[in-house]
Amino acid sequence: MEEQNLNEMLLVRRQKLQELIEAGKDPHEIEKFEDIIYSKEIKDNYENYEGKVVRLAGRIMTKRGHGKVCFMDLQDFSGRIQLFNKLDVLGESYEEVKSLDLGDIVGVEGEVFTTHAGEISIRSSQVVLLTKSLQLLPDKFHGLKDVDLRYRQRYVDLIVNPEIKDVFVMRSKIISSIRKYLDSRGFLEVETPILNTIAGGANARPFITHHNTLDIDMYLRIANELYLKRLIVGGFDKVYEMGRMFRNEGMDKLHNPEYTAIELYQAYVDYEEMMRLCEEMVYTVCMEVVGKSEVELQGKVIDFKPPWRRISMVDAVKEYAGIDFETILTDEEARAIAIEKRIEVTENTTRGEIISLFFEEFCEEYMVQPTFVTKHPVEISPLAKRDPQDKRYTQRFEAFVNCGEIANAFSELNDAIDQKQRFLKQVEARENGDDEAQMMDYDFINALEIGLPPTGGMGIGIDRLIMYLTNQETIRDVLLFPTMKPMIEKDSE
């Protein structure tokens, strides 16, 4: 559409609004339109509504007809329904109704009936303009297909592609189902700070802000783990928190700088119990929201029915990369095999870190069905308890689905002396340029010295789980407002 024609059409809409205002019919002065029902309710229960007068409200999406009859499609939250506007019913208001534009929001009162063509419709007796749309909606046949624009103008996307609402309705149901599962098992939902003086609980680059009154730099939380474990120390035996986390890192199909995660902690259990809880909770949610244990996911069928596969990280590397790290005992040997396999390392990269690099490079692509990858090296698990059978590894697992991690869990480290030493190594790595390494948290060490009981803890990426349960390819499709680089906006006037 040429820019001149577009500007003229937008001007016409503004002129219509001005004429209404001058005639004392400013739609913005209408405060409410009550007692409405949704179009889906009428269509699903037509026998209860046939011949009855109802009230609806929504947006005009199509117009057709001329002369003494005008048809419109009204779109509300639940769907669409046809309006049958007739001169001899609407009388003097008919011309005003005919002059309504696509995108205008109206309130309608009328009789429910079926047209000769068999379409359930509303014979309008009153149509009230509630909001004048001053912009043009995208062409109904081509829709809003610019993916970048869809995310930037989600409000338009929801209007012209109403089917995407289903994803976000399911998102809400999934989150509610998770809460119900945990609440019913005695977990207490709590809230912990989002503004932190120390960025802890994960290896990630934080966002930094400044508190003016205290005159200190603060960090948006990268995890809520350390606060929740303080609550276990304080005597809460089962706690969880679901909310936004913030990591100043790259963006791709699985990563957004702010995302929703849940972390939960239970005293007197270990990571084996967290595995059981994870697979049972995801299965329960899937059955409740999807209606079955299997989901379609980009041409694959994923089955969440327990038990999920369990494999150690070392065994996975042996199976998929053909390298047995149980026979590679030193950092020097590990670096040599990494260089041979073209894995990028430095002179300080440890055997444990190299095992993790091998897993990422050679194994993750095979983690399609739900799988627990266990016993991570201690070097990459600064908050996890060591495995008593082999202290080079930890009692930790990551849950993978469709080649992506959805959960991370430990038997929580409750040895204050060991924890302090691991923090010091993280601080050393940070001083050597690793801006994702963790900071020293002396108050958390003090909490461990007070005494943390044996505890199992787990974090789950809610957005990724929702992606997999709703068959979406990117995290942006399950976030209503994903992070976007701002555009220079022009004034609409």
Side-chain angles (χ1 to χ4, degrees):
M1 185 182 295
E2 294 183 3
E3 185 173 349
Q4 182 178 356
N5 291 337
L6 174 60
N7 289 337
E8 288 176 357
M9 295 175 73
L10 295 177
L11 182 59
V12 167
R13 290 182 176 229
R14 282 162 172 73
Q15 289 173 341
K16 286 183 178 180
L17 176 59
Q18 186 59 36
E19 290 169 2
L20 287 169
I21 292 172
E22 291 173 357
K25 299 179 180 179
D26 185 353
H28 304 113
E29 293 183 353
I30 298 175
E31 297 179 353
K32 55 188 176 181
F33 192 84
E34 296 182 302
D35 302 323
I36 62 171
I37 62 173
Y38 287 125
S39 58
K40 188 176 186 298
E41 165 68 16
I42 294 171
K43 289 184 172 182
D44 289 350
N45 302 281
Y46 177 72
E47 66 280 1
N48 296 331
Y49 288 100
E50 183 180 12
K52 292 184 178 179
V53 174
V54 296
R55 289 163 64 88
L56 304 92
R59 193 180 298 272
I60 297 171
M61 299 301 296
T62 66
K63 284 175 59 178
R64 55 201 178 276
H66 57 277
K68 298 180 179 181
V69 175
C70 175
F71 292 93
M72 297 175 177
D73 280 343
L74 180 81
Q75 179 170 294
D76 61 17
F77 172 76
S78 68
R80 290 191 183 189
I81 196 165
Q82 180 174 263
L83 304 182
F84 179 74
N85 305 312
K86 199 172 181 183
L87 173 61
D88 61 6
V89 177
L90 289 169
E92 294 180 358
S93 66
Y94 178 70
E95 290 302 321
E96 290 183 7
V97 173
K98 270 183 61 178
S99 71
L100 293 171
D101 292 309
L102 300 186
D104 287 352
I105 298 175
V106 298
V108 178
E109 185 171 284
E111 179 188 354
V112 179
F113 78 110
T114 303
T115 64
H116 293 303
E119 183 168 357
I120 297 173
S121 305
I122 305 297
R123 184 181 286 108
S124 307
S125 56
Q126 181 186 30
V127 180
V128 180
L129 177 62
L130 302 175
T131 303
K132 184 68 186 172
S133 177
L134 301 179
Q135 288 285 351
L136 300 177
L137 293 177
D139 183 279
K140 71 166 186 171
F141 295 108
H142 299 99
L144 189 62
K145 293 190 175 180
D146 183 322
V147 175
D148 187 73
L149 191 59
R150 284 184 57 207
Y151 298 141
R152 289 183 186 281
Q153 298 184 7
R154 181 67 87 184
Y155 46 92
V156 179
D157 187 28
L158 290 165
I159 294 168
V160 300
N161 299 310
E163 66 279 359
I164 71 163
K165 288 180 183 175
D166 295 340
V167 172
F168 295 101
V169 170
M170 283 193 69
R171 179 188 177 98
S172 179
K173 291 179 179 178
I174 290 166
I175 289 173
S176 294
S177 182
I178 290 171
R179 283 194 165 101
K180 183 172 73 173
Y181 178 91
L182 293 173
D183 292 346
S184 69
R185 284 156 179 80
F187 282 83
L188 178 71
E189 183 172 11
V190 298
E191 294 175 302
T192 64
I194 291 175
L195 280 176
N196 296 168
T197 55
I198 294 172
N203 285 20
R205 184 186 300 115
F207 286 95
I208 304 174
T209 187
H210 188 79
H211 191 292
N212 290 334
T213 301
L214 297 178
D215 193 24
I216 58 171
D217 285 341
M218 300 189 77
Y219 306 92
L220 295 181
R221 68 181 178 193
I222 55 176
N224 49 7
E225 175 170 344
L226 303 187
Y227 281 109
L228 292 173
K229 286 197 278 193
R230 285 172 168 91
L231 296 179
I232 298 292
V233 170
F236 289 106
D237 281 356
K238 294 181 179 182
V239 294
Y240 75 92
E241 181 178 18
M242 192 184 311
R244 285 295 216 218
M245 307 297 162
F246 307 86
R247 299 189 180 183
N248 195 357
E249 300 173 340
M251 299 168 61
D252 57 32
K253 288 187 174 182
L254 293 178
H255 296 87
N256 191 69
E258 60 173 305
Y259 63 98
T260 299
I262 184 172
E263 291 202 26
L264 58 95
Y265 294 85
Q266 181 174 351
Y268 310 112
V269 302
D270 63 2
Y271 82 129
E272 292 280 356
E273 174 62 15
M274 290 296 106
M275 266 189 268
R276 187 200 64 76
L277 189 151
C278 180
E279 63 188 1
E280 183 185 273
M281 181 170 68
V282 173
Y283 168 73
T284 300
V285 170
C286 188
M287 291 296 293
E288 185 172 304
V289 178
V290 180
K292 55 183 179 180
S293 67
E294 296 179 341
V295 297
E296 297 282 340
L297 189 57
Q298 284 97 62
K300 301 183 285 285
V301 177
I302 306 295
D303 192 351
F304 288 104
K305 186 176 181 180
W308 297 359
R309 182 190 183 199
R310 288 153 167 77
I311 186 170
S312 73
M313 184 173 283
V314 168
D315 285 344
V317 171
K318 181 178 180 181
E319 179 174 339
Y320 297 110
I323 305 297
D324 185 0
F325 273 91
E326 293 299 350
T327 66
I328 300 170
L329 304 180
T330 67
D331 294 343
E332 291 75 17
E333 290 177 282
R335 286 194 288 268
I337 195 70
I339 292 169
E340 179 184 325
K341 295 295 184 180
R342 299 182 179 179
I343 299 293
E344 188 175 334
V345 295
T346 71
E347 61 182 14
N348 297 317
T349 309
T350 65
R351 172 182 174 275
E353 291 168 333
I354 290 168
I355 292 172
S356 177
L357 292 172
F358 267 78
F359 177 80
E360 292 173 5
E361 180 69 23
F362 297 109
C363 306
E364 283 189 2
E365 63 182 291
Y366 297 101
M367 305 292 125
V368 178
Q369 294 298 324
T371 302
F372 292 121
V373 178
T374 66
K375 298 187 177 180
H376 294 51
V378 69
E379 295 95 326
I380 63 167
S381 310
L383 296 164
K385 182 174 286 191
R386 294 176 189 266
D387 186 344
Q389 306 303 317
D390 189 336
K391 294 193 175 182
R392 296 174 300 174
Y393 306 109
T394 58
Q395 292 187 334
R396 175 185 175 188
F397 73 79
E398 290 178 301
F400 283 82
V401 176
N402 195 41
C403 313
E405 176 204 339
I406 64 165
N408 186 26
F410 320 139
S411 293
E412 300 297 333
L413 179 60
N414 60 347
D415 182 335
I417 297 172
D418 188 0
Q419 180 66 82
K420 184 175 181 179
Q421 292 304 312
R422 294 199 214 178
F423 272 159
L424 288 172
K425 288 184 178 180
Q426 291 284 306
V427 169
E428 182 181 348
R430 194 172 186 84
E431 291 173 348
N432 289 330
D434 184 355
D435 57 2
E436 293 188 357
Q438 296 195 41
M439 303 175 184
M440 174 61 76
D441 189 335
Y442 285 107
D443 183 75
F444 180 68
I445 297 298
N446 184 67
L448 293 188
E449 290 176 347
I450 296 294
L452 174 71
T455 299
M458 177 166 57
I460 298 176
I462 297 298
D463 304 312
R464 289 189 194 175
L465 178 60
I466 291 170
M467 281 174 58
Y468 300 148
L469 292 180
T470 59
N471 192 19
Q472 302 302 306
E473 294 187 20
T474 169
I475 193 172
R476 292 185 170 193
D477 288 328
V478 299
L479 297 174
L480 281 168
F481 301 102
T483 304
M484 306 289 291
K485 187 175 182 179
M487 295 178 65
I488 297 175
E489 299 288 348
K490 293 181 180 179
D491 195 311
S492 59
E493 289 294 335

